[in-house]
Amino acid sequence: TRGYIAVQVKQGSERIYLEAQEYTAFDGDVFVFQTRNLYEGSPSQNVHPLDAADMPRFCLEHLDLMPANIQRWVDVWKTLTEARVVTI
């Protein structure tokens, strides 16, 4: 089935209020991301807060979705890591 999806991203100290009317009344799923996990309230069934800790793994698992410059950075990082120039 096809449906609507909305995305809201905020950074810094700006909180995302999961019970906000524009999210709960939206006719579809709302994915929200706050870089410091500053969420308030309980999300309704259509509101999906994303955890900042999951982002690096997601980006590496879906590198083909990332911009070309990010893909190059990851290639350089992998090369340096494999050459033991840097460690994790």
Side-chain angles (χ1 to χ4, degrees):
T1 63
R2 298 181 67 89
Y4 294 105
I5 294 176
V7 176
Q8 176 72 58
V9 177
K10 295 191 179 188
Q11 64 181 0
S13 60
E14 191 169 354
R15 297 182 178 282
I16 292 182
Y17 298 94
L18 300 173
E19 298 168 348
Q21 179 67 24
E22 60 264 24
Y23 302 150
T24 59
F26 184 74
D27 185 24
D29 287 314
V30 180
F31 293 87
V32 294
F33 176 63
Q34 207 295 337
T35 57
R36 295 184 183 175
N37 289 328
L38 297 177
Y39 301 112
E40 283 196 20
S42 298
S44 61
Q45 194 171 14
N46 70 318
V47 179
H48 310 280
L50 304 174
D51 192 315
D54 294 333
M55 288 300 133
R57 179 187 47 79
F58 176 86
C59 292
L60 290 173
E61 288 177 1
H62 302 282
L63 196 54
D64 58 315
L65 300 175
M66 299 299 116
N69 63 328
I70 299 295
Q71 292 179 23
R72 282 192 299 277
W73 294 344
V74 171
D75 285 341
V76 168
W77 173 74
K78 286 180 179 178
T79 301
L80 294 174
T81 303
E82 290 168 2
R84 304 220 186 265
V85 174
V86 296
T87 58
I88 3 180

